[in-house]
Amino acid sequence: MPTAVIGHITRERNEQFIGADRELVGQMQRIQFTIGDHALEIEPMQPNGGAHPPPGRTWAVSMPRCRSWGTDEMLRVR
């Protein structure tokens, strides 16, 4: 009986790849959730979401230069 071939590899080798790749995806998901948990411990989310400047202060965010504007624009967050 001939061996089943998928592309240039046998079915058994393909199944090995699929099993290994599923494990890698699982590791990536666990890593991303762990990094997110660490970030939330460092800086918990605010009630309205995101970080807020301290009272009495504003943050300035420089937007990238846009050819149609011709100058740098500033976005002030209060």
Side-chain angles (χ1 to χ4, degrees):
M1 177 172 193
T3 304
V5 176
I6 300 172
H8 294 279
I9 61 173
T10 64
R11 179 179 299 275
E12 291 80 21
R13 184 68 174 142
N14 185 58
E15 289 173 3
Q16 289 173 350
F17 284 158
I18 291 171
D21 291 346
R22 284 183 176 160
E23 178 58 33
L24 290 171
V25 170
Q27 288 176 12
M28 288 175 14
Q29 289 174 339
R30 288 188 295 276
I31 289 167
Q32 289 174 339
F33 277 106
T34 301
I35 291 171
D37 289 345
H38 293 168
L40 286 172
E41 188 173 339
I42 293 167
E43 184 66 35
M45 290 184 64
Q46 301 296 315
N48 292 330
H52 299 286
R57 298 204 46 206
T58 61
W59 289 341
V61 178
S62 178
M63 296 175 66
R65 193 171 284 230
C66 181
R67 292 181 190 186
S68 64
W69 295 344
T71 60
D72 285 338
E73 298 290 329
M74 296 293 284
L75 173 65
R76 295 237 177 248
V77 180
R78 293 181 188 244

